[in-house]
Amino acid sequence: MDHSHPDHSHPDHSHRRSRTPAPAARGVRLVQKVSSTRAFGRIAPHVVPALDRAVHRLTRGKVLLSARMLPGLVLTVPGARTGRPRTTPLACMPEGEVEGSWILVGSNFGRPGHPAWTANLLARPDEAVVNWRGRDIPVRASLLEGEDRDRVWAAALAFWPPYAAYQRRLERQIRLFRLERR
Protein backbone atom coordinates (compact mmCIF):
# COMPACT_ATOMS: atom_id res chain seq x y z
CA MET A 1 0.00 0.00 0.00
CA ASP A 2 1.32 3.43 -0.97
CA HIS A 3 1.08 5.94 1.88
CA SER A 4 2.43 8.89 -0.09
CA HIS A 5 0.39 12.04 -0.39
CA PRO A 6 0.43 13.14 -4.02
CA ASP A 7 0.50 16.81 -4.84
CA HIS A 8 -2.53 17.13 -7.11
CA SER A 9 -1.22 20.35 -8.67
CA HIS A 10 1.54 18.28 -10.33
CA PRO A 11 -0.16 15.06 -11.44
CA ASP A 12 2.82 13.78 -13.43
CA HIS A 13 4.92 13.72 -10.21
CA SER A 14 2.30 12.26 -7.90
CA HIS A 15 3.49 8.66 -7.90
CA ARG A 16 7.14 9.08 -8.72
CA ARG A 17 9.52 8.22 -5.88
CA SER A 18 13.16 8.98 -5.91
CA ARG A 19 15.29 5.87 -5.64
CA THR A 20 18.41 7.98 -5.22
CA PRO A 21 19.28 8.58 -1.56
CA ALA A 22 19.64 12.15 -0.37
CA PRO A 23 23.15 13.57 -0.71
CA ALA A 24 23.64 13.53 3.07
CA ALA A 25 22.74 9.82 3.26
CA ARG A 26 25.12 9.04 0.38
CA GLY A 27 27.86 10.99 2.18
CA VAL A 28 27.35 9.06 5.41
CA ARG A 29 27.47 5.73 3.57
CA LEU A 30 30.64 6.78 1.76
CA VAL A 31 32.31 7.75 5.04
CA GLN A 32 31.19 4.46 6.60
CA LYS A 33 32.67 2.52 3.68
CA VAL A 34 35.97 4.43 3.79
CA SER A 35 36.23 4.20 7.59
CA SER A 36 35.85 0.41 7.39
CA THR A 37 39.10 0.04 5.43
CA ARG A 38 42.45 -0.99 6.86
CA ALA A 39 44.09 2.10 5.30
CA PHE A 40 41.73 4.36 7.24
CA GLY A 41 42.54 2.37 10.39
CA ARG A 42 46.24 3.09 9.88
CA ILE A 43 45.90 6.80 9.07
CA ALA A 44 42.91 7.99 11.11
CA PRO A 45 44.38 7.52 14.62
CA HIS A 46 47.11 10.01 13.73
CA VAL A 47 44.96 12.57 11.93
CA VAL A 48 41.42 12.57 13.36
CA PRO A 49 42.23 13.16 17.06
CA ALA A 50 44.78 15.89 16.26
CA LEU A 51 42.30 17.76 14.07
CA ASP A 52 39.54 17.31 16.64
CA ARG A 53 41.73 18.59 19.49
CA ALA A 54 42.80 21.66 17.49
CA VAL A 55 39.30 22.59 16.35
CA HIS A 56 37.82 21.88 19.80
CA ARG A 57 40.40 24.20 21.39
CA LEU A 58 39.95 26.94 18.77
CA THR A 59 36.17 26.90 19.14
CA ARG A 60 36.31 26.77 22.96
CA GLY A 61 34.65 23.36 23.10
CA LYS A 62 31.84 24.10 20.67
CA VAL A 63 32.94 22.05 17.62
CA LEU A 64 34.37 18.60 16.97
CA LEU A 65 34.98 17.91 13.27
CA SER A 66 34.36 14.17 13.63
CA ALA A 67 30.98 14.95 15.24
CA ARG A 68 29.75 15.99 11.78
CA MET A 69 29.30 12.24 11.15
CA LEU A 70 28.89 10.87 14.68
CA PRO A 71 28.17 12.55 17.99
CA GLY A 72 31.40 13.31 19.77
CA LEU A 73 32.76 14.28 23.14
CA VAL A 74 36.17 14.96 24.61
CA LEU A 75 37.19 12.58 27.39
CA THR A 76 39.68 13.63 30.06
CA VAL A 77 40.83 10.97 32.50
CA PRO A 78 44.05 10.59 34.48
CA GLY A 79 46.56 8.24 32.89
CA ALA A 80 46.58 4.73 34.35
CA ARG A 81 50.33 4.86 35.08
CA THR A 82 51.19 8.56 35.27
CA GLY A 83 48.05 10.03 36.81
CA ARG A 84 48.43 13.01 34.47
CA PRO A 85 45.25 14.13 32.69
CA ARG A 86 44.86 12.58 29.23
CA THR A 87 42.44 14.23 26.80
CA THR A 88 41.00 12.32 23.86
CA PRO A 89 38.29 13.33 21.38
CA LEU A 90 35.98 10.35 20.81
CA ALA A 91 32.86 9.39 18.93
CA CYS A 92 30.09 8.47 21.33
CA MET A 93 26.60 7.07 21.36
CA PRO A 94 24.36 9.13 23.67
CA GLU A 95 21.86 7.07 25.65
CA GLY A 96 18.36 8.13 26.59
CA GLU A 97 16.57 11.43 26.37
CA VAL A 98 18.60 13.26 29.02
CA GLU A 99 22.24 14.14 28.38
CA GLY A 100 23.55 12.02 31.21
CA SER A 101 24.80 8.76 29.74
CA TRP A 102 27.07 7.94 26.81
CA ILE A 103 28.50 4.77 25.28
CA LEU A 104 32.13 4.75 24.17
CA VAL A 105 33.41 2.08 21.78
CA GLY A 106 37.10 1.19 22.15
CA SER A 107 37.52 0.22 18.51
CA ASN A 108 40.89 1.92 18.00
CA PHE A 109 39.89 2.22 14.33
CA GLY A 110 40.20 -1.58 14.02
CA ARG A 111 43.83 -1.69 15.11
CA PRO A 112 45.11 -4.58 17.27
CA GLY A 113 45.65 -3.04 20.71
CA HIS A 114 43.06 -1.52 23.02
CA PRO A 115 43.19 2.28 22.88
CA ALA A 116 45.04 3.85 25.84
CA TRP A 117 41.95 5.73 27.02
CA THR A 118 40.25 2.39 27.80
CA ALA A 119 43.08 1.41 30.21
CA ASN A 120 42.78 4.83 31.82
CA LEU A 121 39.02 4.36 32.35
CA LEU A 122 39.57 0.88 33.79
CA ALA A 123 42.17 2.23 36.24
CA ARG A 124 40.32 5.42 37.19
CA PRO A 125 36.60 5.01 36.41
CA ASP A 126 35.46 7.67 38.92
CA GLU A 127 37.87 10.38 37.78
CA ALA A 128 36.72 10.97 34.21
CA VAL A 129 35.24 14.17 32.81
CA VAL A 130 33.61 14.60 29.42
CA ASN A 131 33.27 17.81 27.50
CA TRP A 132 29.87 17.49 25.87
CA ARG A 133 28.67 20.36 23.68
CA GLY A 134 31.04 22.76 25.39
CA ARG A 135 30.23 21.74 28.99
CA ASP A 136 32.48 19.76 31.33
CA ILE A 137 30.56 16.91 33.01
CA PRO A 138 32.09 14.60 35.67
CA VAL A 139 31.25 10.97 34.83
CA ARG A 140 31.68 7.45 36.19
CA ALA A 141 32.78 4.79 33.68
CA SER A 142 31.76 1.15 33.67
CA LEU A 143 33.03 -1.58 31.35
CA LEU A 144 30.06 -3.37 29.80
CA GLU A 145 29.97 -7.16 29.94
CA GLY A 146 27.57 -10.03 29.35
CA GLU A 147 24.03 -9.39 28.16
CA ASP A 148 24.30 -5.64 28.70
CA ARG A 149 27.35 -5.55 26.43
CA ASP A 150 25.62 -7.71 23.81
CA ARG A 151 22.59 -5.41 23.76
CA VAL A 152 24.71 -2.25 23.54
CA TRP A 153 26.99 -3.80 20.88
CA ALA A 154 23.94 -4.50 18.68
CA ALA A 155 22.86 -0.87 19.11
CA ALA A 156 26.41 0.33 18.31
CA LEU A 157 26.43 -1.70 15.07
CA ALA A 158 23.10 -0.17 14.03
CA PHE A 159 24.45 3.27 14.98
CA TRP A 160 27.78 2.93 13.09
CA PRO A 161 28.07 -0.26 10.96
CA PRO A 162 31.87 0.03 10.40
CA TYR A 163 32.35 -1.23 13.98
CA ALA A 164 31.53 -4.72 12.63
CA ALA A 165 34.44 -4.52 10.15
CA TYR A 166 36.76 -3.40 12.95
CA GLN A 167 35.76 -6.35 15.14
CA ARG A 168 36.22 -8.86 12.29
CA ARG A 169 39.86 -7.74 11.91
CA LEU A 170 40.63 -8.13 15.60
CA GLU A 171 41.39 -11.03 17.91
CA ARG A 172 40.52 -8.89 20.95
CA GLN A 173 36.97 -8.03 21.93
CA ILE A 174 36.28 -4.33 21.50
CA ARG A 175 35.68 -2.73 24.90
CA LEU A 176 32.43 -0.86 25.47
CA PHE A 177 32.02 1.66 28.28
CA ARG A 178 29.00 3.42 29.68
CA LEU A 179 29.72 6.87 31.09
CA GLU A 180 27.15 8.25 33.52
CA ARG A 181 27.01 11.60 35.28
CA ARG A 182 28.46 11.56 38.77
Side-chain angles (χ1 to χ4, degrees), residues 113-148:
H114 291 289
W117 62 263
T118 67
N120 297 342
L121 283 180
L122 288 171
R124 301 173 188 265
D126 295 325
E127 299 177 47
V129 174
V130 298
N131 185 280
W132 173 251
R133 297 181 176 165
R135 295 185 324 247
D136 287 336
I137 303 168
V139 294
R140 175 172 293 107
S142 55
L143 178 66
L144 300 181
E145 298 176 306
E147 290 179 18
D148 194 24

Short mmCIF file of all heavy atoms in Angstrom, two decimals, residues 113-148:
data_model
loop_
_atom_site.label_atom_id
_atom_site.label_comp_id
_atom_site.label_asym_id
_atom_site.label_seq_id
_atom_site.Cartn_x
_atom_site.Cartn_y
_atom_site.Cartn_z
N GLY A 113 45.68 -3.28 19.26
CA GLY A 113 45.65 -3.04 20.71
C GLY A 113 44.45 -2.22 21.16
O GLY A 113 43.86 -1.47 20.38
N HIS A 114 44.10 -2.37 22.44
CA HIS A 114 43.06 -1.52 23.02
C HIS A 114 43.58 -0.09 23.05
O HIS A 114 44.76 0.14 23.33
CB HIS A 114 42.74 -1.96 24.46
CG HIS A 114 42.05 -3.27 24.55
ND1 HIS A 114 40.73 -3.46 24.15
CD2 HIS A 114 42.46 -4.47 25.01
CE1 HIS A 114 40.39 -4.71 24.37
NE2 HIS A 114 41.42 -5.35 24.88
N PRO A 115 42.73 0.88 22.79
CA PRO A 115 43.19 2.28 22.88
C PRO A 115 43.56 2.62 24.33
O PRO A 115 42.95 2.11 25.28
CB PRO A 115 42.00 3.10 22.39
CG PRO A 115 40.82 2.19 22.43
CD PRO A 115 41.33 0.78 22.38
N ALA A 116 44.54 3.50 24.51
CA ALA A 116 45.04 3.85 25.84
C ALA A 116 43.95 4.40 26.74
O ALA A 116 43.92 4.13 27.95
CB ALA A 116 46.18 4.86 25.71
N TRP A 117 43.00 5.14 26.18
CA TRP A 117 41.95 5.73 27.02
C TRP A 117 41.12 4.66 27.72
O TRP A 117 40.60 4.90 28.81
CB TRP A 117 41.07 6.71 26.24
CG TRP A 117 40.30 6.14 25.10
CD1 TRP A 117 40.65 6.16 23.78
CD2 TRP A 117 39.03 5.48 25.16
NE1 TRP A 117 39.68 5.54 23.02
CE2 TRP A 117 38.68 5.12 23.85
CE3 TRP A 117 38.16 5.16 26.20
CZ2 TRP A 117 37.49 4.45 23.53
CZ3 TRP A 117 36.98 4.49 25.89
CH2 TRP A 117 36.66 4.15 24.57
N THR A 118 41.03 3.45 27.14
CA THR A 118 40.25 2.39 27.80
C THR A 118 40.98 1.90 29.06
O THR A 118 40.34 1.63 30.08
CB THR A 118 39.94 1.20 26.87
OG1 THR A 118 41.14 0.51 26.51
CG2 THR A 118 39.22 1.66 25.60
N ALA A 119 42.31 1.79 29.01
CA ALA A 119 43.08 1.41 30.21
C ALA A 119 42.94 2.48 31.29
O ALA A 119 42.84 2.16 32.48
CB ALA A 119 44.54 1.19 29.84
N ASN A 120 42.93 3.74 30.87
CA ASN A 120 42.78 4.83 31.82
C ASN A 120 41.41 4.77 32.51
O ASN A 120 41.31 4.96 33.73
CB ASN A 120 42.97 6.18 31.14
CG ASN A 120 44.37 6.34 30.56
OD1 ASN A 120 45.29 5.62 30.93
ND2 ASN A 120 44.51 7.27 29.64
N LEU A 121 40.36 4.48 31.75
CA LEU A 121 39.02 4.36 32.35
C LEU A 121 38.93 3.16 33.29
O LEU A 121 38.28 3.23 34.33
CB LEU A 121 37.94 4.25 31.28
CG LEU A 121 37.54 5.54 30.58
CD1 LEU A 121 36.46 5.27 29.54
CD2 LEU A 121 37.08 6.60 31.56
N LEU A 122 39.58 2.06 32.91
CA LEU A 122 39.57 0.88 33.79
C LEU A 122 40.28 1.18 35.11
O LEU A 122 39.84 0.75 36.18
CB LEU A 122 40.24 -0.32 33.10
CG LEU A 122 39.46 -0.95 31.96
CD1 LEU A 122 40.33 -1.98 31.23
CD2 LEU A 122 38.17 -1.57 32.45
N ALA A 123 41.38 1.93 35.04
CA ALA A 123 42.17 2.23 36.24
C ALA A 123 41.53 3.32 37.10
O ALA A 123 41.67 3.31 38.32
CB ALA A 123 43.59 2.66 35.84
N ARG A 124 40.85 4.26 36.47
CA ARG A 124 40.32 5.42 37.19
C ARG A 124 38.89 5.76 36.74
O ARG A 124 38.63 6.86 36.24
CB ARG A 124 41.25 6.61 36.99
CG ARG A 124 42.67 6.33 37.48
CD ARG A 124 43.60 7.46 37.12
NE ARG A 124 44.97 7.11 37.41
CZ ARG A 124 45.60 7.43 38.53
NH1 ARG A 124 44.97 8.05 39.49
NH2 ARG A 124 46.86 7.11 38.71
N PRO A 125 37.96 4.83 36.93
CA PRO A 125 36.60 5.01 36.41
C PRO A 125 35.82 6.17 37.03
O PRO A 125 34.90 6.69 36.41
CB PRO A 125 35.92 3.68 36.71
CG PRO A 125 36.68 3.11 37.86
CD PRO A 125 38.10 3.57 37.67
N ASP A 126 36.19 6.59 38.24
CA ASP A 126 35.46 7.67 38.92
C ASP A 126 36.12 9.04 38.78
O ASP A 126 35.72 9.99 39.44
CB ASP A 126 35.30 7.34 40.41
CG ASP A 126 34.44 6.10 40.63
OD1 ASP A 126 33.49 5.90 39.85
OD2 ASP A 126 34.74 5.34 41.57
N GLU A 127 37.14 9.12 37.91
CA GLU A 127 37.87 10.38 37.78
C GLU A 127 37.75 10.99 36.39
O GLU A 127 38.49 11.93 36.07
CB GLU A 127 39.35 10.16 38.13
CG GLU A 127 39.55 9.68 39.57
CD GLU A 127 41.01 9.41 39.88
OE1 GLU A 127 41.85 10.27 39.54
OE2 GLU A 127 41.29 8.33 40.45
N ALA A 128 36.85 10.49 35.58
CA ALA A 128 36.72 10.97 34.21
C ALA A 128 35.79 12.17 34.13
O ALA A 128 34.87 12.34 34.92
CB ALA A 128 36.19 9.85 33.31
N VAL A 129 36.08 13.01 33.13
CA VAL A 129 35.24 14.17 32.81
C VAL A 129 35.06 14.17 31.30
O VAL A 129 36.01 13.92 30.56
CB VAL A 129 35.92 15.48 33.26
CG1 VAL A 129 35.12 16.70 32.81
CG2 VAL A 129 36.12 15.50 34.77
N VAL A 130 33.83 14.44 30.85
CA VAL A 130 33.61 14.60 29.42
C VAL A 130 33.27 16.06 29.14
O VAL A 130 32.64 16.72 29.97
CB VAL A 130 32.50 13.68 28.86
CG1 VAL A 130 32.86 12.22 29.03
CG2 VAL A 130 31.15 13.98 29.47
N ASN A 131 33.71 16.52 28.00
CA ASN A 131 33.27 17.81 27.50
C ASN A 131 32.24 17.49 26.44
O ASN A 131 32.57 16.92 25.40
CB ASN A 131 34.43 18.64 26.95
CG ASN A 131 33.96 20.02 26.56
OD1 ASN A 131 33.38 20.21 25.50
ND2 ASN A 131 34.21 20.98 27.43
N TRP A 132 31.00 17.80 26.74
CA TRP A 132 29.87 17.49 25.87
C TRP A 132 29.21 18.80 25.48
O TRP A 132 28.72 19.53 26.34
CB TRP A 132 28.89 16.57 26.60
CG TRP A 132 27.61 16.30 25.90
CD1 TRP A 132 26.38 16.76 26.24
CD2 TRP A 132 27.41 15.48 24.73
NE1 TRP A 132 25.42 16.29 25.37
CE2 TRP A 132 26.04 15.50 24.43
CE3 TRP A 132 28.27 14.75 23.92
CZ2 TRP A 132 25.49 14.82 23.35
CZ3 TRP A 132 27.72 14.06 22.84
CH2 TRP A 132 26.36 14.10 22.56
N ARG A 133 29.28 19.13 24.20
CA ARG A 133 28.67 20.36 23.68
C ARG A 133 29.15 21.59 24.44
O ARG A 133 28.36 22.47 24.77
CB ARG A 133 27.16 20.24 23.68
CG ARG A 133 26.67 19.13 22.78
CD ARG A 133 25.19 19.02 22.75
NE ARG A 133 24.82 17.99 21.78
CZ ARG A 133 23.62 17.45 21.73
NH1 ARG A 133 22.67 17.82 22.57
NH2 ARG A 133 23.36 16.52 20.83
N GLY A 134 30.45 21.60 24.75
CA GLY A 134 31.04 22.76 25.39
C GLY A 134 30.96 22.78 26.90
O GLY A 134 31.46 23.72 27.53
N ARG A 135 30.36 21.78 27.52
CA ARG A 135 30.23 21.74 28.99
C ARG A 135 31.04 20.57 29.55
O ARG A 135 30.98 19.46 29.02
CB ARG A 135 28.76 21.55 29.39
CG ARG A 135 27.88 22.70 29.01
CD ARG A 135 26.47 22.50 29.54
NE ARG A 135 26.05 21.10 29.51
CZ ARG A 135 25.09 20.63 28.74
NH1 ARG A 135 24.43 21.41 27.93
NH2 ARG A 135 24.77 19.35 28.78
N ASP A 136 31.75 20.82 30.64
CA ASP A 136 32.48 19.76 31.33
C ASP A 136 31.54 19.06 32.30
O ASP A 136 30.87 19.71 33.11
CB ASP A 136 33.68 20.32 32.10
CG ASP A 136 34.81 20.74 31.18
OD1 ASP A 136 34.90 20.21 30.06
OD2 ASP A 136 35.60 21.61 31.58
N ILE A 137 31.48 17.71 32.20
CA ILE A 137 30.56 16.91 33.01
C ILE A 137 31.35 15.77 33.66
O ILE A 137 31.89 14.91 32.95
CB ILE A 137 29.41 16.34 32.15
CG1 ILE A 137 28.66 17.47 31.45
CG2 ILE A 137 28.48 15.47 32.99
CD1 ILE A 137 27.71 17.00 30.35
N PRO A 138 31.43 15.73 34.99
CA PRO A 138 32.09 14.60 35.67
C PRO A 138 31.26 13.33 35.45
O PRO A 138 30.03 13.36 35.58
CB PRO A 138 32.09 15.00 37.15
CG PRO A 138 31.73 16.44 37.19
CD PRO A 138 30.97 16.74 35.94
N VAL A 139 31.95 12.23 35.11
CA VAL A 139 31.25 10.97 34.83
C VAL A 139 31.92 9.81 35.55
O VAL A 139 33.07 9.89 35.96
CB VAL A 139 31.19 10.68 33.31
CG1 VAL A 139 30.33 11.69 32.57
CG2 VAL A 139 32.59 10.61 32.70
N ARG A 140 31.18 8.72 35.66
CA ARG A 140 31.68 7.45 36.19
C ARG A 140 31.62 6.46 35.02
O ARG A 140 30.59 6.35 34.35
CB ARG A 140 30.80 6.98 37.34
CG ARG A 140 31.15 5.60 37.87
CD ARG A 140 30.36 5.26 39.12
NE ARG A 140 30.79 6.16 40.21
CZ ARG A 140 30.06 7.17 40.70
NH1 ARG A 140 28.85 7.41 40.23
NH2 ARG A 140 30.51 7.92 41.66
N ALA A 141 32.70 5.74 34.79
CA ALA A 141 32.78 4.79 33.68
C ALA A 141 32.58 3.37 34.17
O ALA A 141 33.07 3.00 35.24
CB ALA A 141 34.14 4.91 32.99
N SER A 142 31.86 2.58 33.38
CA SER A 142 31.76 1.15 33.67
C SER A 142 31.95 0.36 32.38
O SER A 142 31.39 0.71 31.34
CB SER A 142 30.42 0.81 34.34
OG SER A 142 29.35 1.25 33.56
N LEU A 143 32.80 -0.67 32.47
CA LEU A 143 33.03 -1.58 31.35
C LEU A 143 31.80 -2.47 31.21
O LEU A 143 31.35 -3.07 32.19
CB LEU A 143 34.28 -2.43 31.60
CG LEU A 143 34.63 -3.46 30.54
CD1 LEU A 143 35.03 -2.77 29.23
CD2 LEU A 143 35.76 -4.35 31.04
N LEU A 144 31.26 -2.55 30.02
CA LEU A 144 30.06 -3.37 29.80
C LEU A 144 30.46 -4.81 29.52
O LEU A 144 31.40 -5.07 28.75
CB LEU A 144 29.23 -2.81 28.65
CG LEU A 144 28.73 -1.38 28.85
CD1 LEU A 144 27.90 -0.94 27.65
CD2 LEU A 144 27.93 -1.26 30.13
N GLU A 145 29.71 -5.73 30.12
CA GLU A 145 29.97 -7.16 29.94
C GLU A 145 28.65 -7.91 29.83
O GLU A 145 27.59 -7.37 30.16
CB GLU A 145 30.78 -7.69 31.13
CG GLU A 145 32.14 -7.01 31.26
CD GLU A 145 32.93 -7.45 32.48
OE1 GLU A 145 32.38 -7.37 33.59
OE2 GLU A 145 34.07 -7.87 32.29
N GLY A 146 28.73 -9.14 29.38
CA GLY A 146 27.57 -10.03 29.35
C GLY A 146 26.44 -9.53 28.47
O GLY A 146 26.67 -8.98 27.39
N GLU A 147 25.21 -9.75 28.95
CA GLU A 147 24.03 -9.39 28.16
C GLU A 147 23.93 -7.89 27.90
O GLU A 147 23.50 -7.47 26.83
CB GLU A 147 22.76 -9.87 28.87
CG GLU A 147 22.60 -11.38 28.85
CD GLU A 147 21.34 -11.83 29.59
OE1 GLU A 147 20.44 -11.00 29.82
OE2 GLU A 147 21.28 -13.02 29.93
N ASP A 148 24.33 -7.09 28.89
CA ASP A 148 24.30 -5.64 28.70
C ASP A 148 25.22 -5.25 27.55
O ASP A 148 24.86 -4.46 26.68
CB ASP A 148 24.70 -4.92 29.99
CG ASP A 148 24.36 -3.44 29.97
OD1 ASP A 148 23.46 -3.02 29.22
OD2 ASP A 148 25.01 -2.69 30.74
#
